[in-house]
Amino acid sequence: MAVNFKELGLVNTREMFKKAMEQEYAVPAYNFNNMEQLQAIIMGCGRCGSPVILQVSKGAREYANATLLRNLGKGAVEMAREEGFKIPIALHLDHGDSYELCVSCIEGGFSSVMIDGSHHPYEKNVELTKKVVEYAHRHDVTVEGELGVLAGIEDDVVAARSVYTQPEDVEDFVEKTGVDSLAISIGTSHGAYKFRPEQCTRNEQGVLVPPPLRFDILKEVERRIPGFPIVLHGASSVLLKYVNLINENGGALEAAVGIPEEQLRKAARSAVCKINIDSDGRLVMTAMIRKTFKEKPAEFDPRKYLGPAREELMNMIIDKNRNVLGSAERYD
Ligand SMILES: [Zn+2]
């Protein structure tokens, strides 16, 4: 049976983005696959008064079970209210790859969906996005489209190289499709290995620094569609602290490189209203679980290794909201 997001206490992204645009910050969109990640996102965003977009990929929805997920969304809102958090909460489909999937999510209580037609030829992308928008808007669900292709791997989405967004396409795309926000490609990338070491330089500390984001493209996009909400995917910083913790505790991550936080801070102050963070959350969870396993090899209660991971993820989220996205203390 179909359920509208409003019955679950969720909101779409319209008001969130309006406020983020006016006050020059970005709303965090955190991906999750399990209960502990969801708890950490709600507690982290709630404690620092940040709006939040709970983000679910197609793969995560299959992993978690669509019915359970809908109820998790409802439970997350109820938990937040019981904790006294006034933050708005959206439930968003990340990288929807078909009209049918978007419809299924909307019927299942999602308040926002992404239709990613970026790998299609332009006209096909317009046609598919427009079709999703027409259905979504009848249910007051907001839609994110994408122009330009990001490199990297995210679930089934694999792209060998990035294709930057062509700024001259954006007005036409937004006008023809009626989308509410637009993901663009300006040099971010999916996954923990965003750049090859040979693409990077090394700073004084010996840390790999990737090529800077294409702020010139972002600026031109802003000039053409002023006040329109822009989304950045593949925007984890791949925090060195957690990469090192993983490797010190039996892991083998090599030369993982992310987007420097100061570049994200700059983007958050522009028309970028939503920043997606997935890999950083995965790294925190893995680092803490590995650390516990190494320090306490006799431990076999999942709460004893997932609990510390959840705690650390919550702290990472608070730090990111406060110091990178600027989304904290907006709903106290
Ligand atoms: Zn993405």
Side-chain angles (χ1 to χ4, degrees):
M1 211 184 65
V3 59
N4 186 270
F5 69 88
K6 287 171 191 169
E7 296 166 45
L8 308 181
L10 297 160
V11 297
N12 65 29
T13 57
R14 204 167 287 127
E15 283 300 313
M16 277 185 182
F17 289 166
K18 189 165 173 274
K19 200 168 164 192
M21 183 72 74
E22 285 164 5
Q23 301 185 14
E24 299 188 336
Y25 62 89
V27 179
Y30 292 109
N31 287 70
F32 72 98
N33 300 289
N34 66 15
M35 185 185 77
E36 282 78 8
Q37 287 174 303
L38 179 60
Q39 289 171 322
I41 297 166
I42 293 294
M43 292 306 292
C45 292
R47 284 192 185 174
C48 70
S50 168
V52 65
I53 297 169
L54 302 172
Q55 192 154 268
V56 177
S57 66
K58 181 186 172 186
R61 191 165 174 260
E62 282 161 8
Y63 176 83
N65 178 287
T67 306
L68 180 59
L69 198 73
R70 169 201 308 183
N71 288 290
L72 277 180
K74 183 171 184 267
V77 175
E78 287 174 6
M79 174 186 153
R81 301 304 169 239
E82 277 166 20
E83 293 283 341
F85 303 147
K86 301 186 189 82
I87 57 168
I89 302 170
L91 181 61
H92 174 80
L93 169 68
D94 193 18
H95 290 287
D97 60 356
S98 70
Y99 173 76
E100 291 73 22
L101 176 61
C102 291
V103 167
S104 170
C105 285
I106 292 166
E107 287 184 343
F110 280 60
S111 61
S112 180
V113 293
M114 176 190 194
I115 177 69
D116 180 0
S118 62
H119 47 284
H120 291 301
Y122 180 77
E123 290 306 330
K124 178 83 202 296
N125 188 2
V126 168
E127 188 191 320
L128 177 63
T129 306
K130 185 169 186 268
K131 196 175 166 195
V132 170
V133 169
E134 280 170 0
Y135 181 85
H137 283 184
R138 286 207 293 275
H139 302 269
D140 204 23
V141 167
T142 41
V143 179
E144 175 183 323
E146 178 162 336
L147 270 179
V149 179
L150 269 70
I153 302 167
E154 187 177 68
D155 280 352
D156 309 334
V157 185
V158 182
R161 65 185 194 94
S162 66
V163 179
Y164 294 123
T165 302
Q166 304 285 322
E168 50 276 24
D169 288 341
V170 296
E171 292 146 290
D172 186 65
F173 187 80
V174 164
E175 193 182 316
K176 279 189 180 152
T177 59
V179 276
D180 302 282
S181 61
L182 183 66
I184 62 169
S185 175
I186 57 166
T188 59
S189 171
H190 289 127
Y193 302 97
K194 297 187 187 300
F195 306 95
R196 293 186 308 277
E198 59 269 28
Q199 291 175 284
C200 305
T201 52
R202 280 190 194 272
N203 69 10
E204 308 88 74
Q205 288 84 41
V207 178
L208 289 168
V209 180
L213 297 181
R214 291 287 303 272
F215 282 99
D216 57 320
I217 297 177
L218 176 60
K219 217 171 159 189
E220 182 57 17
V221 168
E222 279 191 77
R223 195 185 68 77
R224 287 170 180 266
I225 44 172
F228 193 83
I230 300 300
V231 178
L232 283 191
H233 281 242
S236 280
S237 295
V238 188
L239 301 160
L240 203 56
K241 177 182 167 188
Y242 300 110
V243 173
N244 290 343
L245 256 182
I246 289 171
N247 289 340
E248 284 158 16
N249 290 285
L253 295 180
E254 283 168 40
V257 182
I259 311 297
E261 292 193 329
E262 60 272 17
Q263 296 209 20
L264 295 173
R265 220 171 281 136
K266 185 176 167 188
R269 285 194 293 265
S270 72
V272 171
C273 286
K274 172 175 179 266
I275 291 185
N276 290 4
I277 297 145
D278 189 358
S279 294
D280 279 344
R282 296 179 181 197
L283 289 169
V284 170
M285 293 292 290
T286 305
M288 297 310 288
I289 292 167
R290 278 197 177 277
K291 185 167 176 280
T292 307
F293 280 170
K294 193 171 178 198
E295 287 171 359
K296 300 175 183 167
E299 193 56 71
F300 68 100
D301 178 346
R303 292 172 298 184
K304 296 286 165 56
Y305 51 86
L306 292 172
R310 179 177 71 182
E311 180 80 13
E312 186 71 16
L313 179 57
M314 181 187 76
N315 291 332
M316 187 276 282
I317 285 170
I318 292 173
D319 181 67
K320 218 174 250 293
N321 293 346
R322 284 220 169 102
N323 302 317
V324 183
L325 284 82
S327 63
E329 276 87 45
R330 303 290 177 176
Y331 290 89
D332 293 332

